[in-house]
Amino acid sequence: MREIQFREAVCEAMSEEMRADESVFLMGEEVAEYNGAYKASKGMLDEFGAKRVIDTPISELGFAGIAVGSAMNGNRPIVEFMTFNFSLVGIDQIINNAAKMRQMSGGQFNIPIVFRGPTASAGQLGATHSQAFESWYANCPGLKVVVPSNPYDAKGLLKASIRDDDPVIFMESEQMYGDKGEVPEEEYTIELGKADIKREGEHVTIVSFGKIIKQAYEAADVLAKEDISCEIIDLRTVRPLDFDAIYKSVKKTNRLVILEEAWPFGNISSEIAYRVQEEIFDFLDAPIIKINTADTPAPYSPVLLKEWLPNSDDVVAAVKKVMYK
């Protein structure tokens, strides 16, 4: 199987869906002439033209609103935010219109939009460019929230998101666009709302998603040398969230560690911890541990940023704690 970059997988997904359906188009800052801020739309302007690959002004509120109106008229817009930090400028259109229009219209309007772009920290970008908003958007009924961690998942999930009749928040990472992975040539999609067991194990379940899951893989390699077997679940979609996959794994391992790049108050890992203790408390042999960033804005200093972000050492320590080692 060929290996391609994450950005190429994203580009292929969008291009394939645009070839198959003329109602699909891409809009956002620098997506056309510049081939995308992260080159995730490279070559698409040449293939599809300026009517379907549209450079917008620096006005997220404006082009998010245009996308909602376009979707109400039968199109399937893909909106690229240069970063989801900038989506806050357009969040009124996302939360108050895209997420609610289907219910408020009595089902007369579907809103098939994909809002996509990078999320969370990407090095020394400062506090206002290093935020993870997965839990913000997942908190809102009417939205689906997808966070892939590798090129294969990115392509299959993005194609499914573009075909979905509801608005989808598709969150990537600047630090993953250059990652390479195996992606088949043939057509495929990945169903939204289905987690994936990336590594099977016996002693503890580690649940994560997005780029931070790499720290779980590193930790599992270290722990394996000490005969501690970790089962790693990649959520892939955080709304809807595949609780059944988590329950099944925890019933086997009896221990749960959740790794999420997010502030610790009221996030995805908080909801998972609550639901697991509510539904399968008797299967737990240790308290659930969740690993998050520090409860501060992201620092600029590289030394402080390293301390702020969760890492594989944090995962190793958490696993040993639930193992009483």
mmCIF file of all heavy atoms in Angstrom, residues 104-131:
data_model
loop_
_atom_site.group_PDB
_atom_site.id
_atom_site.type_symbol
_atom_site.label_atom_id
_atom_site.label_comp_id
_atom_site.label_asym_id
_atom_site.label_seq_id
_atom_site.Cartn_x
_atom_site.Cartn_y
_atom_site.Cartn_z
ATOM 1 N N MET A 104 -34.830 23.879 14.163
ATOM 2 C CA MET A 104 -35.661 25.090 14.168
ATOM 3 C C MET A 104 -36.528 25.216 12.920
ATOM 4 O O MET A 104 -37.535 25.919 12.932
ATOM 5 C CB MET A 104 -34.774 26.327 14.338
ATOM 6 C CG MET A 104 -34.108 26.401 15.717
ATOM 7 S SD MET A 104 -33.058 27.847 15.933
ATOM 8 C CE MET A 104 -34.283 29.166 15.924
ATOM 9 N N SER A 105 -36.136 24.508 11.852
ATOM 10 C CA SER A 105 -36.955 24.525 10.634
ATOM 11 C C SER A 105 -37.914 23.348 10.581
ATOM 12 O O SER A 105 -38.571 23.132 9.560
ATOM 13 C CB SER A 105 -36.048 24.513 9.398
ATOM 14 O OG SER A 105 -35.404 23.255 9.271
ATOM 15 N N GLY A 106 -37.979 22.580 11.649
ATOM 16 C CA GLY A 106 -38.841 21.405 11.643
ATOM 17 C C GLY A 106 -38.406 20.357 10.645
ATOM 18 O O GLY A 106 -39.246 19.632 10.083
ATOM 19 N N GLY A 107 -37.085 20.268 10.402
ATOM 20 C CA GLY A 107 -36.564 19.276 9.462
ATOM 21 C C GLY A 107 -36.623 19.699 8.006
ATOM 22 O O GLY A 107 -36.303 18.899 7.125
ATOM 23 N N GLN A 108 -37.013 20.942 7.734
ATOM 24 C CA GLN A 108 -37.098 21.389 6.342
ATOM 25 C C GLN A 108 -35.717 21.603 5.722
ATOM 26 O O GLN A 108 -35.562 21.516 4.505
ATOM 27 C CB GLN A 108 -37.895 22.691 6.261
ATOM 28 C CG GLN A 108 -39.364 22.540 6.655
ATOM 29 C CD GLN A 108 -40.100 23.866 6.569
ATOM 30 O OE1 GLN A 108 -40.470 24.316 5.494
ATOM 31 N NE2 GLN A 108 -40.298 24.499 7.717
ATOM 32 N N PHE A 109 -34.730 21.920 6.566
ATOM 33 C CA PHE A 109 -33.381 22.176 6.069
ATOM 34 C C PHE A 109 -32.375 21.259 6.741
ATOM 35 O O PHE A 109 -32.286 21.237 7.972
ATOM 36 C CB PHE A 109 -32.963 23.634 6.336
ATOM 37 C CG PHE A 109 -33.748 24.648 5.560
ATOM 38 C CD1 PHE A 109 -34.740 25.400 6.172
ATOM 39 C CD2 PHE A 109 -33.492 24.866 4.213
ATOM 40 C CE1 PHE A 109 -35.460 26.347 5.471
ATOM 41 C CE2 PHE A 109 -34.208 25.809 3.496
ATOM 42 C CZ PHE A 109 -35.202 26.553 4.120
ATOM 43 N N ASN A 110 -31.631 20.504 5.935
ATOM 44 C CA ASN A 110 -30.407 19.885 6.415
ATOM 45 C C ASN A 110 -29.268 20.876 6.201
ATOM 46 O O ASN A 110 -29.325 21.714 5.296
ATOM 47 C CB ASN A 110 -30.098 18.598 5.649
ATOM 48 C CG ASN A 110 -31.081 17.501 5.967
ATOM 49 O OD1 ASN A 110 -31.595 17.410 7.078
ATOM 50 N ND2 ASN A 110 -31.367 16.668 4.988
ATOM 51 N N ILE A 111 -28.229 20.761 7.013
ATOM 52 C CA ILE A 111 -27.084 21.664 6.878
ATOM 53 C C ILE A 111 -25.819 20.827 6.691
ATOM 54 O O ILE A 111 -25.043 20.621 7.624
ATOM 55 C CB ILE A 111 -26.950 22.589 8.122
ATOM 56 C CG1 ILE A 111 -28.270 23.293 8.434
ATOM 57 C CG2 ILE A 111 -25.840 23.617 7.885
ATOM 58 C CD1 ILE A 111 -28.732 24.268 7.363
ATOM 59 N N PRO A 112 -25.603 20.326 5.479
ATOM 60 C CA PRO A 112 -24.424 19.464 5.229
ATOM 61 C C PRO A 112 -23.158 20.289 4.981
ATOM 62 O O PRO A 112 -22.754 20.524 3.845
ATOM 63 C CB PRO A 112 -24.845 18.677 3.983
ATOM 64 C CG PRO A 112 -25.761 19.606 3.252
ATOM 65 C CD PRO A 112 -26.470 20.420 4.286
ATOM 66 N N ILE A 113 -22.535 20.724 6.064
ATOM 67 C CA ILE A 113 -21.303 21.506 5.987
ATOM 68 C C ILE A 113 -20.201 20.761 6.719
ATOM 69 O O ILE A 113 -20.454 20.153 7.760
ATOM 70 C CB ILE A 113 -21.464 22.894 6.661
ATOM 71 C CG1 ILE A 113 -22.591 23.700 6.033
ATOM 72 C CG2 ILE A 113 -20.164 23.692 6.585
ATOM 73 C CD1 ILE A 113 -22.828 25.028 6.737
ATOM 74 N N VAL A 114 -18.993 20.854 6.213
ATOM 75 C CA VAL A 114 -17.812 20.448 6.978
ATOM 76 C C VAL A 114 -16.996 21.700 7.280
ATOM 77 O O VAL A 114 -16.578 22.416 6.359
ATOM 78 C CB VAL A 114 -16.945 19.440 6.201
ATOM 79 C CG1 VAL A 114 -15.649 19.154 6.978
ATOM 80 C CG2 VAL A 114 -17.709 18.150 5.958
ATOM 81 N N PHE A 115 -16.823 21.985 8.558
ATOM 82 C CA PHE A 115 -15.906 23.027 8.992
ATOM 83 C C PHE A 115 -14.604 22.326 9.392
ATOM 84 O O PHE A 115 -14.602 21.537 10.337
ATOM 85 C CB PHE A 115 -16.462 23.791 10.201
ATOM 86 C CG PHE A 115 -17.730 24.550 9.938
ATOM 87 C CD1 PHE A 115 -18.955 24.018 10.312
ATOM 88 C CD2 PHE A 115 -17.705 25.790 9.333
ATOM 89 C CE1 PHE A 115 -20.134 24.720 10.088
ATOM 90 C CE2 PHE A 115 -18.885 26.494 9.091
ATOM 91 C CZ PHE A 115 -20.109 25.957 9.474
ATOM 92 N N ARG A 116 -13.515 22.585 8.678
ATOM 93 C CA ARG A 116 -12.283 21.847 8.950
ATOM 94 C C ARG A 116 -11.094 22.796 9.079
ATOM 95 O O ARG A 116 -11.106 23.930 8.603
ATOM 96 C CB ARG A 116 -12.001 20.789 7.893
ATOM 97 C CG ARG A 116 -12.013 21.235 6.445
ATOM 98 C CD ARG A 116 -11.221 20.290 5.553
ATOM 99 N NE ARG A 116 -9.834 20.314 5.921
ATOM 100 C CZ ARG A 116 -8.932 21.146 5.354
ATOM 101 N NH1 ARG A 116 -9.314 22.010 4.404
ATOM 102 N NH2 ARG A 116 -7.685 21.119 5.755
ATOM 103 N N GLY A 117 -10.028 22.259 9.720
ATOM 104 C CA GLY A 117 -8.810 23.028 9.921
ATOM 105 C C GLY A 117 -8.075 22.515 11.142
ATOM 106 O O GLY A 117 -8.530 21.603 11.830
ATOM 107 N N PRO A 118 -6.915 23.088 11.444
ATOM 108 C CA PRO A 118 -6.085 22.587 12.544
ATOM 109 C C PRO A 118 -6.583 23.032 13.918
ATOM 110 O O PRO A 118 -7.144 24.108 14.086
ATOM 111 C CB PRO A 118 -4.705 23.166 12.246
ATOM 112 C CG PRO A 118 -4.951 24.343 11.384
ATOM 113 C CD PRO A 118 -6.194 24.058 10.613
ATOM 114 N N THR A 119 -6.342 22.163 14.906
ATOM 115 C CA THR A 119 -6.746 22.404 16.281
ATOM 116 C C THR A 119 -5.563 22.218 17.209
ATOM 117 O O THR A 119 -4.551 21.632 16.841
ATOM 118 C CB THR A 119 -7.877 21.440 16.689
ATOM 119 O OG1 THR A 119 -8.303 21.743 18.028
ATOM 120 C CG2 THR A 119 -7.413 19.993 16.668
ATOM 121 N N ALA A 120 -5.687 22.728 18.430
ATOM 122 C CA ALA A 120 -4.749 22.504 19.532
ATOM 123 C C ALA A 120 -3.384 23.141 19.253
ATOM 124 O O ALA A 120 -3.219 23.942 18.339
ATOM 125 C CB ALA A 120 -4.632 21.024 19.848
ATOM 126 N N SER A 121 -2.402 22.774 20.081
ATOM 127 C CA SER A 121 -1.099 23.426 20.023
ATOM 128 C C SER A 121 -0.282 22.913 18.844
ATOM 129 O O SER A 121 -0.451 21.796 18.387
ATOM 130 C CB SER A 121 -0.333 23.178 21.320
ATOM 131 O OG SER A 121 -0.071 21.796 21.468
ATOM 132 N N ALA A 122 0.614 23.775 18.379
ATOM 133 C CA ALA A 122 1.498 23.382 17.273
ATOM 134 C C ALA A 122 2.879 23.999 17.471
ATOM 135 O O ALA A 122 3.480 24.514 16.540
ATOM 136 C CB ALA A 122 0.902 23.811 15.942
ATOM 137 N N GLY A 123 3.358 23.963 18.703
ATOM 138 C CA GLY A 123 4.646 24.559 19.003
ATOM 139 C C GLY A 123 4.484 25.937 19.609
ATOM 140 O O GLY A 123 3.475 26.244 20.242
ATOM 141 N N GLN A 124 5.476 26.783 19.407
ATOM 142 C CA GLN A 124 5.496 28.111 20.034
ATOM 143 C C GLN A 124 4.648 29.097 19.231
ATOM 144 O O GLN A 124 5.162 29.969 18.546
ATOM 145 C CB GLN A 124 6.923 28.609 20.156
ATOM 146 C CG GLN A 124 7.756 27.859 21.196
ATOM 147 C CD GLN A 124 9.170 28.397 21.247
ATOM 148 O OE1 GLN A 124 10.052 27.867 20.587
ATOM 149 N NE2 GLN A 124 9.374 29.451 22.007
ATOM 150 N N LEU A 125 3.340 28.971 19.338
ATOM 151 C CA LEU A 125 2.426 29.868 18.632
ATOM 152 C C LEU A 125 1.690 30.806 19.585
ATOM 153 O O LEU A 125 0.880 31.619 19.140
ATOM 154 C CB LEU A 125 1.420 29.057 17.812
ATOM 155 C CG LEU A 125 2.012 28.169 16.716
ATOM 156 C CD1 LEU A 125 0.915 27.464 15.951
ATOM 157 C CD2 LEU A 125 2.885 28.983 15.767
ATOM 158 N N GLY A 126 1.939 30.678 20.879
ATOM 159 C CA GLY A 126 1.299 31.568 21.835
ATOM 160 C C GLY A 126 -0.080 31.083 22.259
ATOM 161 O O GLY A 126 -0.680 30.186 21.648
ATOM 162 N N ALA A 127 -0.616 31.702 23.295
ATOM 163 C CA ALA A 127 -1.832 31.219 23.938
ATOM 164 C C ALA A 127 -3.059 31.290 23.042
ATOM 165 O O ALA A 127 -3.941 30.432 23.117
ATOM 166 C CB ALA A 127 -2.087 32.016 25.220
ATOM 167 N N THR A 128 -3.148 32.294 22.168
ATOM 168 C CA THR A 128 -4.358 32.459 21.361
ATOM 169 C C THR A 128 -4.366 31.593 20.109
ATOM 170 O O THR A 128 -5.383 31.540 19.407
ATOM 171 C CB THR A 128 -4.551 33.933 20.952
ATOM 172 O OG1 THR A 128 -3.398 34.369 20.211
ATOM 173 C CG2 THR A 128 -4.729 34.815 22.183
ATOM 174 N N HIS A 129 -3.255 30.909 19.828
ATOM 175 C CA HIS A 129 -3.185 30.036 18.657
ATOM 176 C C HIS A 129 -2.919 28.585 19.051
ATOM 177 O O HIS A 129 -2.489 27.792 18.210
ATOM 178 C CB HIS A 129 -2.084 30.500 17.696
ATOM 179 C CG HIS A 129 -2.436 31.741 16.945
ATOM 180 N ND1 HIS A 129 -1.651 32.227 15.921
ATOM 181 C CD2 HIS A 129 -3.467 32.603 17.055
ATOM 182 C CE1 HIS A 129 -2.188 33.338 15.429
ATOM 183 N NE2 HIS A 129 -3.293 33.583 16.108
ATOM 184 N N SER A 130 -3.170 28.239 20.303
ATOM 185 C CA SER A 130 -2.784 26.907 20.799
ATOM 186 C C SER A 130 -3.898 26.254 21.597
ATOM 187 O O SER A 130 -3.640 25.573 22.583
ATOM 188 C CB SER A 130 -1.514 27.037 21.666
ATOM 189 O OG SER A 130 -0.464 27.633 20.958
ATOM 190 N N GLN A 131 -5.133 26.436 21.158
ATOM 191 C CA GLN A 131 -6.276 26.006 21.953
ATOM 192 C C GLN A 131 -7.000 24.830 21.311
ATOM 193 O O GLN A 131 -7.133 24.763 20.091
ATOM 194 C CB GLN A 131 -7.248 27.182 22.140
ATOM 195 C CG GLN A 131 -6.578 28.374 22.800
ATOM 196 C CD GLN A 131 -7.434 29.628 22.753
ATOM 197 O OE1 GLN A 131 -7.991 30.045 23.753
ATOM 198 N NE2 GLN A 131 -7.536 30.243 21.591
#
